[in-house]
Amino acid sequence: MTDYRILKQRCETLEKTAEILQLYPCAVSAPLHERYQVIKDLSNHYSVNLLCQALKVAKGSYYNHILRNANENTSYMRKRKELTPIIEQIFHETNQVLGARKIMTILKSRGYSVGKKTVASIMHENGWFSIRGGAKTIYESTKQRKENILSQQFIVSSPNEVWVSDVTYFSFKDDKYYICVIIDLFARKVIAYGISTSNSTRLTKGTLRKAYNERMPKNDLILHSDRGSNYTARTFIDFCKTIGITQSLSRTAMPYDNSVMEAFFKTLKAEELYRNNYRSEREFRESVQKYIEFYNAKRPHKINRYRPPNAVEEAYFKRHYDLPF
């Protein structure tokens, strides 16, 4: 009987570990600060002990990290949270030309007391790098990725031919949550999503990694998105190259180039997010997950002749590979 209880406990731990790694696509090989952040984000839903085990972090080291950053997590972090959208606006308004020092000067002219280190840290965290640094080299090496390969051709002949992606946000209780989604164009199926309090390359890269690991595409694959810095950052570009994905980017200020994603986010908000008064982050996350499950499994889609995405995809694989469902 004792052995059964031990085995049962181990199975439950493994199940929860798998759940954690699916919820946040953070590998145990990720930088320590990223794993610390995941533990902090999920500590209201799972025990710190379990999170540390899942991400291979020494519990004592994590608590030391929390103590060291106790002051930063108050006034300093509030300041970073306030400055991030302002820095992003300045960065894009000036055509991604300015570096941390010049953006710091603009912030000071607007009355913000901030140092170059803080500005540089926020920019680096979000993948906002001045194009002046090695501009010619970057231009030559990224000509192809700057193309709008998709050109609003949203009808494809098979799954894992073209994926589209974008990030939206939803606010409640004075917090802003960014939702990254990837849709397979064939059946308009949501194949991966991620939620974060920061609109960073980590969010988009993590969501893409999740989609790739889930689908394991074998043929040439195009990923279409807008030109946001979280899709054009060097780390994201390199990751796409590593897994054999070709990037396609919408033209500047042309939302119709990614209208499938625009339509999905509009539907998600109208049918789910705007209808609920969330009491906690956990409730919000569960709501997004349940809606996406419903969207894929039950919600009819006009482009699919009013069949849900799962049904269309299953019919394709049964027809071409004689797979039972």
Side-chain angles (χ1 to χ4, degrees), residues 28-29 31 55 59 63-64 66-67 88-89 98 157 159 165 168 184 200 242 249 261 274 280 290 295 311 313 315 317:
V28 294
S29 59
L55 295 168
K59 190 162 67 170
Y63 281 124
N64 285 337
I66 293 297
L67 288 172
E88 181 178 19
Q89 182 183 16
L98 303 187
S157 58
S165 182
T168 191
D184 188 312
S200 64
T242 300
L249 300 176
M261 286 307 314
Y274 291 152
S280 67
K290 286 176 182 175
Y295 182 90
E313 212 175 63
F317 286 117

Side-chain angles (χ1 to χ4, degrees), residues 83 173 285:
L83 288 172
K173 287 192 173 181
R285 287 178 178 271

Side-chain angles (χ1 to χ4, degrees), residues 72-191:
E72 291 184 0
N73 289 338
T74 53
S75 59
Y76 177 67
M77 292 309 292
R78 280 199 299 270
K79 186 176 183 180
R80 284 179 70 96
K81 192 173 181 180
E82 177 191 3
L83 288 172
T84 298
I86 301 167
I87 291 171
E88 181 178 19
Q89 182 183 16
I90 295 170
F91 181 68
H92 291 299
E93 279 179 352
T94 55
N95 298 319
Q96 303 176 353
V97 166
L98 303 187
R101 185 179 298 279
K102 289 180 180 176
I103 289 180
M104 176 198 71
T105 304
I106 292 172
L107 287 168
K108 285 187 172 181
S109 73
R110 296 183 183 182
Y112 293 97
S113 174
V114 61
K116 178 177 172 284
K117 256 189 181 178
T118 300
V119 176
S121 171
I122 292 170
M123 291 179 71
H124 188 273
E125 180 184 302
N126 289 279
W128 301 329
F129 300 106
S130 169
I131 61 167
R132 289 180 61 84
K136 184 176 180 181
T137 304
I138 293 170
Y139 173 76
E140 293 297 335
S141 65
T142 59
K143 274 181 184 176
Q144 186 177 1
R145 75 167 177 84
K146 289 184 177 180
E147 292 178 5
N148 179 16
I149 299 170
L150 193 58
S151 295
Q152 298 188 21
Q153 298 300 312
F154 300 121
I155 305 299
V156 297
S157 58
S158 63
N160 298 325
E161 188 177 329
V162 179
W163 295 349
V164 293
S165 182
D166 201 358
V167 177
T168 191
Y169 71 87
F170 181 73
S171 301
F172 72 94
K173 287 192 173 181
D174 299 322
D175 288 317
K176 187 180 281 189
Y177 293 89
Y178 294 92
I179 308 169
C180 177
V181 171
I182 299 178
I183 288 176
D184 188 312
L185 276 186
F186 176 71
R188 301 299 199 264
K189 179 175 179 174
V190 177
I191 57 173

Side-chain angles (χ1 to χ4, degrees), residues 265-306:
F265 284 140
K266 183 178 178 182
T267 300
L268 169 66
K269 290 177 179 179
E271 296 183 0
E272 183 67 21
L273 302 185
Y274 291 152
R275 296 175 61 194
N276 290 287
N277 242 342
Y278 299 112
R279 292 166 294 181
S280 67
E281 180 182 345
R282 182 174 186 173
E283 192 176 88
F284 163 66
R285 287 178 178 271
E286 287 174 350
S287 174
V288 174
Q289 180 181 342
K290 286 176 182 175
Y291 180 79
I292 288 175
E293 288 170 357
F294 158 76
Y295 182 90
N296 283 338
K298 296 181 179 179
R299 190 184 184 281
H301 202 298
K302 184 178 179 182
I303 201 73
N304 292 337
R305 297 182 182 177
Y306 297 99

Side-chain angles (χ1 to χ4, degrees), residues 185-204:
L185 276 186
F186 176 71
R188 301 299 199 264
K189 179 175 179 174
V190 177
I191 57 173
Y193 76 95
I195 300 174
S196 174
T197 52
S198 128
N199 185 15
S200 64
T201 306
R202 178 184 164 198
L203 171 63
T204 51

